[in-house]
Each structure stands twice: as structure tokens, then as C-alpha cells.
């Protein structure tokens, strides 16, 4: 019943109307002498699970993307396939991709964005932490700046679910055939629940730190020396851990566990070929809705406890910690400073609040801004990335030190992952509490902010807490 129901709903755009829209797109392509983006959007039943549809319907080797924040009224965006790919690297990659997306949508033949955020034409994907990051072999397919315009996307907020199918109309296309391709793509979608993670897998798991823990403590100690010498205020240093499983990791099952266990986080899965980058990130980089922008300064953390009294005590200790408050204030100041030249006003509370997720709690300051000009979501992401929560302060001093001390290619870890629509609205989170899955190997990443009073052993222990979000899921 589920498969048939989705097919019937997906075909709600009348073939004649779709053919008429395809005719318009082909005529425009012929006039311009170049392909034109074509999209059609319909409403689906309110019980459709966008991510489950994407996982159930994807073909081998096909790009896919799921991005949710479950406790925000079921906010979800899922996408399949690739109409076209926008890629850039080096300095200015955010601005170049924003311009390429704007040029692509300027002449598009499509319904205007309507319904839940992410409905209509979208570009989905992410950016590596470093301008030229993601060059290590295991990051193959995840370019430094990589946005995909999907063939199919499903957006949900509450019980409002929309399906969009898209294609490029070329000057030599036959409109009826183009419309038929869109119909066929929609009709091929399937409904099935996300698979369950095997609770008792057969075989052994092997967990290794890519570099010895002592190397990480030494890196922290060297960073503290630089900070005390006045070279910089803060630097974030990360660790990489690998998990070798007895069988290939199931990205859909991992995503399902994260979605159920971290409903206040940004739970995402970006798939490229045989690899998937999954995360349950607590940190919003930017959300843009017209001239309104929102972000969160997140830094400083401690563990959770099953005992409510102990958990509250840990939170109070974090709120009173001078080291953690200093780390958090550095992030909040930098974000506000970056937004002010582009805003009528920037507002933030004077005191940070506690954000609690399944295994960790953080200091957080929500920041809102009213923009003076319509900077798009991708441009705003580039304006803020990397915040001192994942980079350092000042950034110019921290940037060359990070790879030198870490000795790893972060790839998309600590980068920006999300989406933007035809209005340049959108949402990007910081890729934290994440893992890169490729076959039976998983690579997990966790970092901490190092400041003047950081203790190397304590910072190593904090990375273990952060790794605890995914390690139990991936290591059996």
C-alpha cells in the first residue's frame, strides 16, 4: 500500500500540465542556447517520511542527502540523484557556488518555493573545513565545495510534505519525453521504513586512534604554549578514530539510530557513491529566511549523567567554568563581529545557556540578525565559516597551525553541510559528531577548543565524550 500511495500522490501533477511546463523550459533553452532548470512540486500525504523514501529509493552509486532536526516540528529535507553538480575550491568557494546557483535558478521554469522550508528547487551538500580540504583518498567524492541539484527532493515540516522533481531542459530535448522522464522518476519512488541496526553483529570490531593519544596531548600542550606566548587566543584541535567492522556499515540504519537518539540535533547523511558522511551535530552555522538570519555560538562542553542531580551539577559547573566561558565568548564575539557589517542589528543574550543532547551538554549563545541586504544562505555560511568553535581566534594565526598540529585531512568534518533554495534561503549546520562511512571502515572525528588554561589530559577526555555520540553505534 505504501509504495502505491506514494506513486499516486507523486503523479498529482497532471501530465498535460507537466508537458506544458516542459515545453516552456525547452523553448527558453533554445532561445538562450543553453540548458534551463525545470522543476515541479506537489503535496504528498502528511505521513510520508522523506529520509526513508530517499534511502528506500536510491539506486546504487546515486548521490543522496538527508538533513533533519526532528524536534523542530519534524523538519526534514531528503534528496536523490543529480541534475547538475556545482563545485569550487580555494578561497571564495562559497561566493562562487552562491553565484552559480543564483544563475541557475534565475531562468528556471518551476513553481516558486512554497510550503515547508526546502520545498521546490534546492541545492544540497557541503563544504570542507579547509578551502582545499578533502584531498585525502578516503574523502574522494566530497569536494571542498560541493552542492548537488537533486532530481528528487522531499521537504517536510509537521504534516506538510512536498515532493519536487527536477531536470535540465536542453535545447534539443523533446518536451513530451522530458515530462515523461520526470513522471517516471516520481513513479519510481518507494516507501519503506528505515532498516534497523543489527544489535548483535557477528564478527569483531577494531577501533584505532589514527594517531596515538599521546600525540594529541602533545599537540594540545604545544598549542597552549603558543597561546600563552600571545600568538593566538584559541585553537581547535581534532582527533581521528577508525572503526573496522566485520561487515559494511549500513548508512540508513546508522542514520535511523542517530535520528531517534539525537532529536534536537541536525542529523544528516550525505552520500557519494559507496561512501556516506553521517552526523548528529548540535551546532547551527546559519539559517536564513529572507532578511532574517539566525546562528548559535556553541563552545565549552561537559558530559551528561543519568542521575538528574549529577547532570544538573555538571551543567552548573560548566556555566561557572572560566575556561569554558572564555572559549564560548570568543566564538560569540567573532560571529557578531562578522554579521554586523551586513545587518541592521545583531542581537544576543548577555549570558550563555546550556544545551543538552544525549551524551553531552554545551554552552550556547543564540544570535539573531536583521540583514541590510539579501545575502544568500551560502554566502552567509561563507561569511561565518569557520567560527572559532571549530577553527581558532584569530583565524589567520590558527589556520596554518591546525593541520600542522593535527596531522590529518579534516575533509567535511567541521565544515558546513546543508541546503539552499531558489530564494537563497536555507540552512547549514557545522559538521560535528560525525563519521565517514566507506564499506566496513568508519572514520570518526572529534575536536576541542584549546585556550590558555587547557589541560592536555582533560582535552583528550573531552574528545572521548564527543566520540561517544557515534562510537557505540558504529563499533557494535
Amino acid at each position: 500500500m505504501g509504495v502505491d500511495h506514494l506513486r499516486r500522490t507523486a503523479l498529482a501533477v497532471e501530465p498535460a500540465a507537466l508537458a506544458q511546463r516542459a515545453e516552456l523550459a525547452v523553448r527558453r533553452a533554445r532561445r538562450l542556447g543553453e540548458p534551463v532548470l525545470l522543476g515541479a512540486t506537489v503535496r504528498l500525504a502528511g505521513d510520508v517520511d522523506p529520509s526513508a523514501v530517499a534511502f528506500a529509493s536510491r539506486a546504487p552509486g546515486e548521490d543522496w542527502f538527508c538533513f533533519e532536526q526532528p524536534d523542530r516540528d519534524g523538519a526534514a529535507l531528503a534528496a536523490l540523484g543529480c541534475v547538475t553538480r556545482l563545485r569550487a575550491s580555494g578561497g571564495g568557494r562559497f561566493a562562487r557556488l552562491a553565484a552559480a546557483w543564483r544563475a541557475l535558478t534565475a531562468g528556471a521554469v518551476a513553481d516558486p518555493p512554497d510550503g515547508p522550508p526546502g520545498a521546490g528547487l534546492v541545492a544540497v551538500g557541503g563544504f570542507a573545513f579547509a578551502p582545499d580540504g578533502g584531498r585525502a583518498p578516503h574523502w574522494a567524492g566530497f569536494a571542498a565545495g560541493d552542492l548537488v541539484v537533486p532530481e528528487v527532493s522531499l521537504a517536510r515540516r509537521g504534516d506538510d510534505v512536498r515532493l519536487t522533481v527536477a531536470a535540465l531542459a536542453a535545447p534539443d530535448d523533446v518536451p513530451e519525453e522530458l515530462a515523461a522522464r520526470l513522471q517516471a522518476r516520481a513513479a519510481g519512488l518507494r516507501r519503506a521504513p528505515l532498516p534497523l541496526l543489527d544489535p548483535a553483529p557477528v564478527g569483531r570490531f577494531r577501533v584505532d586512534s589514527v594517531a596515538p593519544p599521546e600525540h594529541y596531548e602533545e599537540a594540545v600542550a604545544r598549542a597552549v604554549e603558543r597561546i600563552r606566548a600571545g600568538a593566538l587566543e584559541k585553537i581547535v584541535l581534532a582527533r581521528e578514530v577508525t572503526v573496522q567492522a566485520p561487515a559494511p556499515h549500513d548508512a540508513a540504519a546508522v542514520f535511523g539510530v542517530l535520528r531517534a537518539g539525537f532529536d534536537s540535533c541536525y542529523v544528516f547523511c550525505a552520500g557519494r557513491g559507496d561512501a556516506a558522511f553521517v552526523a548528529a551535530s548540535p551546532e547551527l552555522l546559519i539559517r536564513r529566511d529572507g532578511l532574517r538570519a539566525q546562528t548559535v555560538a556553541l563552545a565549552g562542553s561537559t558530559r551528561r549523567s543519568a542521575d538528574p542531580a549529577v547532570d544538573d551539577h555538571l551543567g552548573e559547573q560548566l556555566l561557572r567554568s572560566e575556561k569554558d566561558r572564555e572559549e564560548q565568548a570568543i566564538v560569540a564575539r567573532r560571529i557578531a563581529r562578522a554579521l554586523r557589517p551586513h545587518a541592521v542589528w545583531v542581537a544576543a543574550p548577555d549570558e550563555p545557556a546550556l544545551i543538552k543532547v544525549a551524551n553531552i551538554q554545551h554552552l550556547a549563545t543564540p544570535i539573531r540578525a536583521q540583514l541590510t541586504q539579501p545575502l544568500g544562505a551560502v554566502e552567509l555560511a561563507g561569511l561565518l565559516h569557520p567560527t572559532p568553535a571549530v577553527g581558532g581566534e584569530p583565524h589567520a594565526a590558527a589556520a596554518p597551525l591546525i593541520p600542522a598540529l593535527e596531522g590529518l585531512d579534516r575533509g567535511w568534518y567541521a565544515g558546513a553541510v546543508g541546503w539552499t533554495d531558489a530564494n537563497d534561503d536555507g540552512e547549514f549546520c557545522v559538521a560535528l559528531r560525525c563519521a565517514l562511512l566507506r564499506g566496513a571502515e568508519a572514520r570518526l572525528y572529534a575536536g576541542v577548543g584549546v585556550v590558555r588554561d587547557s589541560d592536555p589530559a582533560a582535552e583528550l577526555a573531552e574528545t572521548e565524550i564527543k566520540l561517544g555520540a557515534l562510537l557505540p553505534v558504529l563499533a557494535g
Side-chain angles (χ1 to χ4, degrees):
M1 174 192 153
V3 174
D4 291 340
H5 175 74
L6 184 57
R7 284 177 176 168
R8 287 199 306 272
T9 312
L11 290 169
V13 174
E14 290 294 329
L18 191 54
Q20 187 178 31
R21 188 171 298 177
E23 174 74 34
L24 176 59
V26 170
R27 282 206 310 269
R28 186 173 296 178
R30 290 169 181 167
R31 187 174 70 252
L32 297 174
E34 61 185 22
V36 167
L37 188 58
L38 165 66
T41 302
V42 296
R43 185 189 289 270
L44 298 183
D47 63 344
V48 171
D49 180 340
S51 296
V53 170
F55 278 113
S57 306
R58 65 186 176 93
E62 185 172 50
D63 287 354
W64 78 95
F65 182 84
C66 301
F67 188 90
E68 299 196 21
Q69 193 178 23
D71 78 345
R72 189 155 55 93
D73 201 16
L77 175 64
L80 276 176
C82 178
V83 170
T84 187
R85 188 185 304 275
L86 309 176
R87 279 184 165 169
S89 62
R93 61 201 161 120
F94 287 87
R96 292 202 301 279
L97 288 191
W101 170 242
R102 198 170 290 125
L104 190 60
T105 57
V109 176
D111 300 302
D114 181 43
L121 294 173
V122 291
V124 302
F127 295 81
F129 171 77
D132 293 302
R135 293 186 172 185
H138 51 270
W139 282 109
F142 296 85
D146 190 349
L147 295 179
V148 169
V149 181
E151 294 175 338
V152 173
S153 60
L154 300 99
R156 179 185 67 198
R157 180 66 67 86
D159 61 358
D160 188 358
V161 184
R162 307 293 175 102
L163 165 71
T164 299
V165 288
L168 279 179
D172 58 351
D173 270 334
V174 176
E176 292 78 11
E177 293 177 358
L178 180 60
R181 290 205 307 269
L182 290 171
Q183 291 278 9
R185 181 77 224 228
L189 298 176
R190 298 177 58 245
R191 286 185 79 179
L194 291 175
L196 299 177
L197 196 68
D198 187 349
V202 176
R204 296 182 58 188
F205 289 83
R206 179 176 171 180
V207 181
D208 294 302
S209 183
V210 173
E214 297 79 13
H215 169 87
Y216 185 77
E217 290 183 312
E218 181 183 343
V220 172
R222 289 167 61 193
V224 169
E225 289 177 5
R226 298 289 187 96
I227 293 169
R228 290 178 177 172
L232 67 167
E233 288 183 75
K234 174 187 176 179
I235 187 170
V236 175
L237 297 179
R239 292 175 62 207
E240 184 178 24
V241 172
T242 62
V243 176
Q244 297 292 337
H249 292 283
D250 186 340
V254 171
F255 178 86
V257 171
L258 296 180
R259 184 171 73 171
F262 295 87
D263 62 350
S264 65
C265 290
Y266 295 90
V267 182
F268 67 75
C269 181
R272 298 284 189 274
D274 64 343
F277 185 52
V278 298
S281 174
E283 186 167 353
L284 171 67
L285 178 63
I286 194 68
R287 181 183 303 130
R288 191 261 204 182
D289 181 9
L291 292 178
R292 297 187 299 275
Q294 292 177 267
T295 182
V296 175
L298 193 76
S301 58
T302 191
R303 65 182 178 89
R304 299 292 308 274
S305 171
D307 184 325
V310 174
D311 195 57
D312 289 344
H313 177 67
L314 290 169
E316 286 299 319
Q317 283 185 317
L318 182 60
L319 282 168
R320 292 197 299 266
S321 166
E322 289 188 14
K323 177 261 182 188
D324 290 290
R325 288 180 70 98
E326 176 193 3
E327 182 184 343
Q328 205 274 336
I330 288 170
V331 178
R333 284 197 300 270
R334 162 87 86 77
I335 290 174
R337 191 165 65 242
L339 288 173
R340 281 195 189 101
H342 309 279
V344 178
W345 50 259
V346 177
D350 294 332
E351 293 291 319
L354 280 175
I355 286 183
K356 298 188 178 190
V357 297
N359 69 320
I360 196 168
Q361 44 192 322
H362 300 278
L363 293 179
T365 299
I367 298 172
R368 296 178 297 113
Q370 181 75 16
L371 302 172
T372 55
Q373 53 183 317
L375 282 175
V378 175
E379 291 161 311
L380 287 167
L383 186 69
L384 297 181
H385 173 79
T387 73
V390 293
E393 184 68 13
H395 175 66
L401 272 180
I402 289 171
L405 292 174
E406 288 180 345
L408 60 89
D409 182 351
R410 289 187 176 189
W412 279 22
Y413 163 70
V417 173
W419 59 272
T420 184
D421 68 10
N423 284 340
D424 275 344
D425 289 336
E427 190 166 30
F428 286 84
C429 73
V430 182
L432 303 175
R433 315 296 186 269
C434 55
L436 176 65
L437 313 180
R438 195 181 293 272
E441 181 183 76
R443 289 176 177 264
L444 288 72
Y445 300 86
V448 299
V450 180
V451 293
R452 173 181 297 272
D453 296 327
S454 290
D455 172 68
E459 302 296 7
L460 177 66
E462 185 175 329
T463 66
E464 297 289 346
I465 295 172
K466 292 175 176 177
L467 289 166
L470 271 81
L471 200 55
V473 179
L474 296 170

